[in-house]
Amino acid sequence: MKYTEKVRSLTWLAHNVVRLELPKPKDFKYKVGDAVEMQVNHKGPGPFTMTNLHDENRLEFVIRVYQDHHGLTEAVSQLKEGDEVQFTEAFNTFQPKENSVFLAGGTGLTPILSIIRYLYELGKLDGCQLFFSNKHRKDMFLQEELRTMMGDRYQNIITNDKNDPDYYDHMDAGYLKNKINDFSKSFYICGPPAFDEAMQEVLAELGVKKEQVFTSN
């Protein structure tokens, strides 16, 4: 691990999602969509994407906590101000493209989030759409910010609660065909491996070419 920094803050965004903020080392450089390998209290390493813009004097990570795994994300959730976090140099996961469709599952939102924030700052987000899938409403996070940036081009999908009156659905071919008017756009997919695989199959069914699809895996 090249860098060691002390925690500035740790904030809970949902029952299983935290925001970790660290100082940015003076020689640390990264681009929108980049990630690092992180280690906490000898747990890890594991990859996490910086979710804040690259010209800020800090590093922000949004991380889903899997407490039953008793691994790295649980160790992150137990951090306090002043605790040390180790991490590597940045490496690329996604590069921002205008006029894109983002398909996010759970904290697969995180690399996409930095791109959305970047395009919003440039005033180039209007041609983009975001579809954000979670199992339950309590798993959702950053709704207010996403709605502010994207308006009704931001759609939530809840897959495991049939009684959810607003968001219960499945991100299948029928759903996306009804929501997307232009399938010649770039498509970003990020989520658990099963989500990524399913979304690639759905897009292929809808006639989207492989060169239009970008995944983090």
Side-chain angles (χ1 to χ4, degrees), residues 48-127:
F48 297 106
T49 304
M50 282 72 69
T51 51
N52 62 308
L53 300 182
H54 61 289
D55 57 356
E56 297 178 10
N57 191 30
R58 67 188 182 101
L59 300 176
E60 179 194 80
F61 301 88
V62 176
I63 299 170
R64 175 147 283 166
V65 179
Y66 299 94
Q67 293 179 334
D68 55 338
H69 293 180
H70 303 299
L72 177 57
T73 63
E74 182 183 54
V76 169
S77 74
Q78 295 169 349
L79 288 169
K80 302 181 295 297
E81 183 179 346
D83 287 346
E84 291 186 343
V85 175
Q86 296 177 307
F87 54 96
T88 64
E89 293 180 330
F91 58 89
N92 180 254
T93 55
F94 283 135
Q95 295 181 353
K97 287 180 178 289
E98 299 173 39
N99 203 37
S100 298
V101 177
F102 304 105
L103 309 179
T107 47
L109 176 69
T110 53
I112 291 170
L113 177 61
S114 61
I115 293 172
I116 290 173
R117 286 172 167 172
Y118 176 71
L119 294 175
Y120 180 72
E121 185 178 70
L122 296 179
K124 296 181 177 180
L125 192 57
D126 287 351

Side-chain angles (χ1 to χ4, degrees), residues 189-200:
I189 302 172
C190 193
F195 175 87
D196 288 9
E197 183 178 339
M199 290 302 98
Q200 290 179 69

Side-chain angles (χ1 to χ4, degrees), residues 159-197:
T159 60
N160 284 25
D161 187 358
K162 294 181 179 180
N163 296 318
D164 191 302
D166 300 315
Y167 301 133
Y168 176 72
D169 218 319
H170 290 89
M171 206 187 300
D172 54 19
Y175 177 88
L176 293 180
K177 189 174 183 180
N178 287 332
K179 299 288 186 179
I180 300 171
N181 295 323
D182 182 2
F183 284 92
S184 67
K185 296 183 176 185
S186 297
F187 286 80
Y188 288 78
I189 302 172
C190 193
F195 175 87
D196 288 9
E197 183 178 339

